[in-house]
Amino acid sequence: MVYLESHSTDPYFNLALEEYIFEHMDRSRQYFLLWQNDRTIVVGKYQNTAEEINQSYVEAHGIRVARRLSGGGAVYHDKGNLNFTFIVDQADNADFNFNVFVVPVLRALERFGVTAAFNGRNDLTIDGQKFSGNSQYARHGRLLHHGCIMLDSNLTNVADALKVKQAKFDSKSVKSVRSRVTTINAHAPRPISMEEFKAALRAGILESDGLEPRTLTPEELAAVKRLRDEKYATWEWNYGRSPAYHMRRERKFSAGLVTIFLQAEEGRIKSIRFYGDFFGNGDLAELEEAMVSLKLDQHLEKALENCRIGEYLNGITAHDIAQMLLY
Ligand SMILES: Nc1ncnc2c1ncn2[C@@H]1O[C@H](COP(=O)(O)OC(=O)CCCC[C@@H]2CCSS2)[C@@H](O)[C@H]1O
Protein backbone atom coordinates (compact mmCIF):
# COMPACT_ATOMS: atom_id res chain seq x y z
CA MET A 1 0.00 0.00 0.00
CA VAL A 2 1.32 3.45 -0.94
CA TYR A 3 1.54 5.86 2.00
CA LEU A 4 1.21 9.61 1.61
CA GLU A 5 1.20 12.14 4.38
CA SER A 6 -0.04 15.62 3.61
CA HIS A 7 1.95 18.40 5.22
CA SER A 8 -0.70 20.95 4.38
CA THR A 9 -3.45 21.82 6.83
CA ASP A 10 -5.47 23.53 4.13
CA PRO A 11 -8.70 21.53 3.82
CA TYR A 12 -9.16 22.55 0.21
CA PHE A 13 -5.71 21.25 -0.69
CA ASN A 14 -6.26 18.01 1.20
CA LEU A 15 -9.63 17.28 -0.38
CA ALA A 16 -8.13 18.04 -3.79
CA LEU A 17 -5.28 15.65 -2.99
CA GLU A 18 -7.76 12.87 -2.24
CA GLU A 19 -9.58 13.43 -5.50
CA TYR A 20 -6.33 13.66 -7.45
CA ILE A 21 -5.08 10.33 -6.14
CA PHE A 22 -8.49 8.76 -6.68
CA GLU A 23 -8.80 9.94 -10.27
CA HIS A 24 -5.26 10.19 -11.57
CA MET A 25 -2.73 8.08 -9.73
CA ASP A 26 -1.77 4.56 -10.74
CA ARG A 27 -4.93 2.49 -10.43
CA SER A 28 -3.02 -0.71 -9.87
CA ARG A 29 -1.95 0.60 -6.45
CA GLN A 30 -3.79 1.10 -3.17
CA TYR A 31 -3.27 4.25 -1.14
CA PHE A 32 -3.32 5.28 2.48
CA LEU A 33 -3.25 8.95 3.44
CA LEU A 34 -2.96 10.85 6.69
CA TRP A 35 -3.87 14.51 6.87
CA GLN A 36 -5.03 17.26 9.19
CA ASN A 37 -6.97 20.45 8.72
CA ASP A 38 -6.91 23.78 10.45
CA ARG A 39 -10.29 24.65 11.93
CA THR A 40 -12.78 23.58 9.27
CA ILE A 41 -16.31 22.31 8.89
CA VAL A 42 -16.47 19.59 6.25
CA VAL A 43 -19.96 19.05 4.88
CA GLY A 44 -21.13 15.99 2.95
CA LYS A 45 -21.60 16.06 -0.79
CA TYR A 46 -25.38 16.34 -0.64
CA GLN A 47 -25.75 18.75 2.24
CA ASN A 48 -27.12 22.24 2.41
CA THR A 49 -24.15 24.14 3.80
CA ALA A 50 -26.22 26.97 5.29
CA GLU A 51 -28.25 24.42 7.22
CA GLU A 52 -25.25 22.71 8.82
CA ILE A 53 -22.98 25.49 9.97
CA ASN A 54 -23.28 28.03 12.73
CA GLN A 55 -22.81 31.07 10.50
CA SER A 56 -21.93 33.63 13.13
CA TYR A 57 -19.43 31.29 14.80
CA VAL A 58 -17.85 30.44 11.47
CA GLU A 59 -17.54 34.12 10.61
CA ALA A 60 -16.23 35.20 14.00
CA HIS A 61 -13.53 32.51 14.09
CA GLY A 62 -12.52 32.41 10.43
CA ILE A 63 -13.41 28.74 10.19
CA ARG A 64 -13.22 27.32 6.70
CA VAL A 65 -16.13 25.47 5.19
CA ALA A 66 -15.41 22.70 2.71
CA ARG A 67 -17.51 20.20 0.82
CA ARG A 68 -16.16 16.69 0.32
CA LEU A 69 -16.80 14.07 -2.36
CA SER A 70 -18.41 11.54 -0.06
CA GLY A 71 -21.91 11.67 1.36
CA GLY A 72 -22.96 11.83 4.99
CA GLY A 73 -23.07 14.60 7.56
CA ALA A 74 -21.07 17.61 8.68
CA VAL A 75 -18.06 17.32 10.98
CA TYR A 76 -15.69 19.78 12.57
CA HIS A 77 -11.90 19.48 12.29
CA ASP A 78 -9.14 21.11 14.29
CA LYS A 79 -5.50 20.22 14.89
CA GLY A 80 -6.53 17.67 17.48
CA ASN A 81 -8.35 15.77 14.76
CA LEU A 82 -6.66 13.33 12.37
CA ASN A 83 -8.06 12.31 8.99
CA PHE A 84 -7.23 9.09 7.17
CA THR A 85 -8.12 7.98 3.67
CA PHE A 86 -7.97 4.63 1.90
CA ILE A 87 -8.19 4.58 -1.89
CA VAL A 88 -8.51 1.02 -3.13
CA ASP A 89 -10.02 -1.18 -5.80
CA GLN A 90 -13.69 -1.67 -5.24
CA ALA A 91 -13.43 -5.22 -6.55
CA ASP A 92 -11.36 -6.22 -3.52
CA ASN A 93 -13.69 -4.57 -1.06
CA ALA A 94 -17.37 -5.25 -0.73
CA ASP A 95 -19.38 -2.08 -1.34
CA PHE A 96 -19.64 0.20 1.62
CA ASN A 97 -18.24 -2.32 4.04
CA PHE A 98 -16.77 0.01 6.62
CA ASN A 99 -15.36 -2.65 8.86
CA VAL A 100 -12.07 -3.39 7.10
CA PHE A 101 -11.16 0.28 7.04
CA VAL A 102 -11.73 1.00 10.69
CA VAL A 103 -9.98 -2.10 12.04
CA PRO A 104 -6.52 -0.41 11.84
CA VAL A 105 -7.85 2.41 14.00
CA LEU A 106 -9.19 0.00 16.60
CA ARG A 107 -5.90 -1.90 16.49
CA ALA A 108 -3.89 1.27 16.99
CA LEU A 109 -6.02 2.19 19.98
CA GLU A 110 -5.49 -1.18 21.60
CA ARG A 111 -1.77 -0.38 21.70
CA PHE A 112 -2.59 2.52 23.98
CA GLY A 113 -4.98 0.55 26.14
CA VAL A 114 -8.09 2.23 24.74
CA THR A 115 -11.06 0.04 23.90
CA ALA A 116 -13.21 1.40 21.11
CA ALA A 117 -16.06 -0.04 19.08
CA PHE A 118 -17.51 0.29 15.61
CA ASN A 119 -21.19 1.07 15.99
CA GLY A 120 -22.23 -0.57 12.73
CA ARG A 121 -23.38 2.74 11.31
CA ASN A 122 -20.32 4.77 10.37
CA ASP A 123 -18.97 5.77 13.73
CA LEU A 124 -16.29 4.63 16.13
CA THR A 125 -17.18 5.06 19.76
CA ILE A 126 -15.72 4.80 23.24
CA ASP A 127 -18.26 4.14 25.98
CA GLY A 128 -21.00 4.85 23.46
CA GLN A 129 -19.62 8.29 22.59
CA LYS A 130 -18.46 9.05 19.09
CA PHE A 131 -14.88 10.08 18.33
CA SER A 132 -14.68 9.08 14.66
CA GLY A 133 -17.01 9.53 11.69
CA ASN A 134 -16.50 7.75 8.38
CA SER A 135 -17.85 7.93 4.86
CA GLN A 136 -17.18 6.50 1.43
CA TYR A 137 -17.21 7.42 -2.22
CA ALA A 138 -17.16 4.98 -5.11
CA ARG A 139 -16.72 5.50 -8.84
CA HIS A 140 -15.38 3.59 -11.80
CA GLY A 141 -14.52 0.55 -9.71
CA ARG A 142 -12.49 2.56 -7.18
CA LEU A 143 -13.45 3.10 -3.58
CA LEU A 144 -12.45 5.92 -1.26
CA HIS A 145 -12.99 5.44 2.45
CA HIS A 146 -12.16 8.29 4.77
CA GLY A 147 -12.63 8.98 8.40
CA CYS A 148 -11.88 11.64 10.95
CA ILE A 149 -10.62 10.82 14.41
CA MET A 150 -10.78 13.16 17.36
CA LEU A 151 -7.63 12.48 19.34
CA ASP A 152 -7.63 15.71 21.23
CA SER A 153 -10.15 18.06 19.61
CA ASN A 154 -11.79 20.93 21.42
CA LEU A 155 -15.28 19.54 21.96
CA THR A 156 -16.77 22.90 22.86
CA ASN A 157 -15.75 24.17 19.45
CA VAL A 158 -17.14 21.05 17.77
CA ALA A 159 -20.51 21.74 19.33
CA ASP A 160 -20.43 25.48 18.68
CA ALA A 161 -19.32 25.33 15.05
CA LEU A 162 -22.03 22.96 13.89
CA LYS A 163 -25.58 24.24 13.90
CA VAL A 164 -27.32 22.99 17.00
CA LYS A 165 -30.87 24.09 16.49
CA GLN A 166 -32.19 22.31 13.44
CA ALA A 167 -34.10 24.97 11.54
CA LYS A 168 -37.10 24.12 9.45
CA PHE A 169 -35.42 23.89 6.09
CA ASP A 170 -37.52 22.03 3.61
CA SER A 171 -35.07 20.36 1.28
CA LYS A 172 -33.82 17.02 0.06
CA SER A 173 -30.42 17.64 1.60
CA VAL A 174 -28.77 15.00 3.77
CA LYS A 175 -29.08 15.88 7.45
CA SER A 176 -26.25 15.28 9.88
CA VAL A 177 -26.77 12.85 12.71
CA ARG A 178 -25.77 14.58 15.91
CA SER A 179 -24.04 12.37 18.44
CA ARG A 180 -22.60 12.60 21.89
CA VAL A 181 -18.94 13.10 21.13
CA THR A 182 -15.68 12.47 22.91
CA THR A 183 -11.94 12.41 22.22
CA ILE A 184 -9.55 9.51 22.49
CA ASN A 185 -7.39 11.34 24.99
CA ALA A 186 -10.33 11.78 27.31
CA HIS A 187 -10.16 7.98 27.77
CA ALA A 188 -6.49 7.15 27.31
CA PRO A 189 -4.49 5.99 30.36
CA ARG A 190 -1.98 8.72 29.41
CA PRO A 191 -2.22 11.50 26.81
CA ILE A 192 -1.32 10.29 23.32
CA SER A 193 0.51 12.72 21.04
CA MET A 194 -0.57 13.13 17.42
CA GLU A 195 2.77 11.79 16.14
CA GLU A 196 2.57 8.71 18.35
CA PHE A 197 -0.98 8.09 17.23
CA LYS A 198 -0.10 8.40 13.55
CA ALA A 199 2.79 5.96 14.02
CA ALA A 200 0.49 3.47 15.74
CA LEU A 201 -2.02 3.78 12.92
CA ARG A 202 0.68 3.10 10.32
CA ALA A 203 1.84 0.12 12.37
CA GLY A 204 -1.75 -1.14 12.49
CA ILE A 205 -1.86 -1.14 8.70
CA LEU A 206 1.61 -2.62 8.39
CA GLU A 207 0.33 -5.72 10.16
CA SER A 208 -1.69 -6.57 7.07
CA ASP A 209 -0.04 -4.61 4.22
CA GLY A 210 3.39 -3.14 3.68
CA LEU A 211 3.53 0.65 3.55
CA GLU A 212 5.53 2.35 0.85
CA PRO A 213 6.05 6.07 1.53
CA ARG A 214 5.56 8.32 -1.46
CA THR A 215 5.63 12.06 -2.06
CA LEU A 216 4.12 14.09 -4.86
CA THR A 217 6.20 15.05 -7.88
CA PRO A 218 6.26 18.80 -8.67
CA GLU A 219 3.84 18.13 -11.55
CA GLU A 220 1.43 16.26 -9.30
CA LEU A 221 1.64 18.99 -6.69
CA ALA A 222 0.82 21.61 -9.32
CA ALA A 223 -2.16 19.55 -10.50
CA VAL A 224 -3.50 19.19 -6.93
CA LYS A 225 -3.19 22.94 -6.39
CA ARG A 226 -5.06 23.55 -9.62
CA LEU A 227 -7.87 21.26 -8.48
CA ARG A 228 -7.91 23.06 -5.13
CA ASP A 229 -8.20 26.48 -6.76
CA GLU A 230 -10.68 25.49 -9.43
CA LYS A 231 -12.95 23.33 -7.30
CA TYR A 232 -12.45 22.80 -3.60
CA ALA A 233 -11.66 26.40 -2.65
CA THR A 234 -14.57 27.85 -4.63
CA TRP A 235 -17.82 29.21 -3.26
CA GLU A 236 -19.62 27.40 -6.08
CA TRP A 237 -18.54 24.00 -4.76
CA ASN A 238 -18.73 24.65 -1.03
CA TYR A 239 -22.00 26.57 -0.94
CA GLY A 240 -23.36 26.60 -4.49
CA ARG A 241 -23.73 22.81 -4.62
CA SER A 242 -26.35 22.87 -1.89
CA PRO A 243 -29.63 21.26 -2.90
CA ALA A 244 -32.55 23.61 -3.53
CA TYR A 245 -34.77 24.32 -0.54
CA HIS A 246 -37.59 26.55 0.54
CA MET A 247 -38.64 27.81 3.91
CA ARG A 248 -41.09 29.98 5.72
CA ARG A 249 -39.89 32.12 8.57
CA GLU A 250 -41.84 34.25 10.99
CA ARG A 251 -40.59 36.59 13.66
CA LYS A 252 -42.29 39.03 15.95
CA PHE A 253 -40.62 42.43 16.25
CA SER A 254 -41.79 45.28 18.44
CA ALA A 255 -43.23 46.85 15.28
CA GLY A 256 -45.19 43.73 14.37
CA LEU A 257 -44.97 40.34 12.73
CA VAL A 258 -42.79 39.64 9.68
CA THR A 259 -43.26 36.52 7.59
CA ILE A 260 -40.80 35.50 4.90
CA PHE A 261 -41.15 32.90 2.18
CA LEU A 262 -37.80 31.98 0.67
CA GLN A 263 -36.80 29.77 -2.22
CA ALA A 264 -33.11 28.97 -2.46
CA GLU A 265 -31.16 27.39 -5.26
CA GLU A 266 -27.43 26.81 -5.61
CA GLY A 267 -26.82 28.51 -2.31
CA ARG A 268 -28.48 31.76 -3.38
CA ILE A 269 -31.87 33.43 -2.98
CA LYS A 270 -34.04 32.45 -5.92
CA SER A 271 -37.12 34.29 -4.77
CA ILE A 272 -38.28 35.94 -1.58
CA ARG A 273 -41.58 37.37 -0.37
CA PHE A 274 -42.20 39.47 2.71
CA TYR A 275 -45.51 39.69 4.53
CA GLY A 276 -46.20 41.94 7.49
CA ASP A 277 -48.33 44.74 8.79
CA PHE A 278 -45.89 47.56 9.27
CA PHE A 279 -44.34 48.27 5.93
CA GLY A 280 -42.30 51.38 5.29
CA ASN A 281 -42.52 53.73 2.37
CA GLY A 282 -40.81 51.76 -0.36
CA ASP A 283 -42.42 49.27 -2.72
CA LEU A 284 -41.64 45.86 -1.20
CA ALA A 285 -41.36 44.30 -4.64
CA GLU A 286 -38.24 46.42 -5.14
CA LEU A 287 -36.63 44.94 -2.05
CA GLU A 288 -37.68 41.42 -3.02
CA GLU A 289 -36.15 41.98 -6.45
CA ALA A 290 -32.92 43.41 -5.01
CA MET A 291 -32.45 40.34 -2.81
CA VAL A 292 -32.60 37.82 -5.66
CA SER A 293 -29.23 36.05 -6.18
CA LEU A 294 -27.77 37.09 -2.82
CA LYS A 295 -25.56 34.36 -1.36
CA LEU A 296 -27.01 32.55 1.64
CA ASP A 297 -23.81 32.44 3.63
CA GLN A 298 -22.17 34.18 6.56
CA HIS A 299 -21.71 37.37 4.51
CA LEU A 300 -25.44 37.81 3.91
CA GLU A 301 -25.86 40.46 6.57
CA LYS A 302 -23.18 42.60 4.94
CA ALA A 303 -24.81 42.19 1.53
CA LEU A 304 -28.19 43.15 3.00
CA GLU A 305 -26.77 46.40 4.32
CA ASN A 306 -26.90 47.69 0.74
CA CYS A 307 -30.58 46.82 0.41
CA ARG A 308 -31.92 49.63 2.66
CA ILE A 309 -34.12 47.18 4.55
CA GLY A 310 -35.33 49.83 7.00
CA GLU A 311 -36.89 51.88 4.22
CA TYR A 312 -39.12 48.99 3.22
CA LEU A 313 -39.71 47.45 6.63
CA ASN A 314 -39.96 49.97 9.41
CA GLY A 315 -37.54 49.35 12.25
CA ILE A 316 -36.15 46.10 10.81
CA THR A 317 -32.43 45.81 10.08
CA ALA A 318 -30.16 43.81 7.80
CA HIS A 319 -29.10 41.90 10.89
CA ASP A 320 -32.70 40.92 11.67
CA ILE A 321 -33.32 39.59 8.18
CA ALA A 322 -30.00 37.71 8.03
CA GLN A 323 -30.90 36.10 11.36
CA MET A 324 -34.29 35.05 10.06
CA LEU A 325 -32.86 33.51 6.92
CA LEU A 326 -29.82 31.76 8.32
CA TYR A 327 -30.80 30.58 11.79
N1 LIG B 1 -14.25 15.45 13.89
C1 LIG B 1 -15.29 14.70 14.28
N2 LIG B 1 -15.11 13.38 14.50
C2 LIG B 1 -16.14 12.60 14.87
N3 LIG B 1 -17.40 13.04 15.07
C3 LIG B 1 -17.64 14.33 14.87
C4 LIG B 1 -16.60 15.23 14.47
N4 LIG B 1 -17.14 16.46 14.33
C5 LIG B 1 -18.45 16.32 14.63
N5 LIG B 1 -18.76 15.06 14.97
C6 LIG B 1 -20.07 14.47 15.35
O1 LIG B 1 -20.59 13.78 14.22
C7 LIG B 1 -21.89 14.31 13.87
C8 LIG B 1 -22.16 14.14 12.38
O2 LIG B 1 -22.26 12.77 12.10
P1 LIG B 1 -22.72 12.20 10.69
O3 LIG B 1 -22.83 10.74 10.83
O4 LIG B 1 -23.92 12.97 10.21
O5 LIG B 1 -21.53 12.57 9.69
C9 LIG B 1 -20.27 12.01 9.74
O6 LIG B 1 -19.84 11.42 10.71
C10 LIG B 1 -19.43 12.23 8.50
C11 LIG B 1 -18.01 11.75 8.60
C12 LIG B 1 -17.17 12.30 7.47
C13 LIG B 1 -15.72 11.91 7.57
C14 LIG B 1 -14.84 12.59 6.54
C15 LIG B 1 -13.44 12.14 6.66
C16 LIG B 1 -12.47 13.07 6.01
S1 LIG B 1 -13.20 14.58 5.59
S2 LIG B 1 -14.81 14.33 6.67
C17 LIG B 1 -21.82 15.73 14.35
O7 LIG B 1 -23.09 16.31 14.52
C18 LIG B 1 -21.08 15.55 15.68
O8 LIG B 1 -21.94 15.02 16.67
Side-chain angles (χ1 to χ4, degrees), residues 15 18 35 37 40 42-44 47 52 68 70-78 81-85 121-124 130-136 144-150 153 155 158-159 162-163 174-182:
L15 291 166
E18 279 189 320
W35 47 293
N37 291 334
T40 305
V42 182
V43 300
Q47 290 201 291
E52 297 296 333
R68 60 179 187 266
S70 65
V75 287
Y76 172 82
H77 295 166
D78 61 11
N81 176 87
L82 177 68
N83 302 304
F84 68 97
T85 309
R121 201 183 145 266
N122 56 8
D123 308 330
L124 296 179
K130 173 173 177 175
F131 68 91
S132 169
N134 291 262
S135 59
Q136 296 188 339
L144 181 152
H145 175 110
H146 53 191
C148 47
I149 306 171
M150 292 194 286
S153 294
L155 294 178
V158 175
L162 301 169
K163 193 171 270 176
V174 170
K175 317 291 176 200
S176 299
V177 181
R178 259 142 262 271
S179 300
R180 288 178 58 217
V181 289
T182 191

Side-chain angles (χ1 to χ4, degrees), residues 131-202:
F131 68 91
S132 169
N134 291 262
S135 59
Q136 296 188 339
Y137 169 74
R139 196 172 119 99
H140 298 328
R142 293 287 269 175
L143 181 74
L144 181 152
H145 175 110
H146 53 191
C148 47
I149 306 171
M150 292 194 286
L151 176 67
D152 213 6
S153 294
N154 182 323
L155 294 178
T156 310
N157 295 344
V158 175
D160 289 347
L162 301 169
K163 193 171 270 176
V164 204
K165 197 166 43 140
Q166 282 286 324
K168 299 266 177 298
F169 287 82
D170 192 356
S171 77
K172 292 197 167 63
S173 66
V174 170
K175 317 291 176 200
S176 299
V177 181
R178 259 142 262 271
S179 300
R180 288 178 58 217
V181 289
T182 191
T183 64
I184 292 170
N185 268 346
H187 303 268
R190 61 166 182 86
I192 305 166
S193 75
M194 189 54 85
E195 283 312 313
E196 265 182 300
F197 184 63
K198 286 199 275 191
L201 209 48
R202 283 191 297 263

Side-chain angles (χ1 to χ4, degrees), residues 228-272:
R228 172 193 65 191
D229 296 342
E230 290 171 2
K231 178 174 178 178
Y232 287 96
T234 66
W235 189 91
E236 284 65 27
W237 171 254
N238 294 315
Y239 290 87
R241 281 299 185 102
S242 298
Y245 63 93
H246 53 91
M247 66 184 186
R248 174 183 188 274
R249 279 280 201 284
E250 203 159 71
R251 193 163 291 180
K252 195 150 177 42
F253 295 94
S254 52
L257 191 71
V258 176
T259 306
I260 299 179
F261 286 96
L262 172 90
Q263 275 191 297
E265 219 169 79
E266 296 180 344
R268 294 172 185 264
I269 296 177
K270 188 176 175 225
S271 72
I272 187 159

Side-chain angles (χ1 to χ4, degrees), residues 5 21 62 324:
E5 185 167 337
I21 297 171
M324 283 181 77

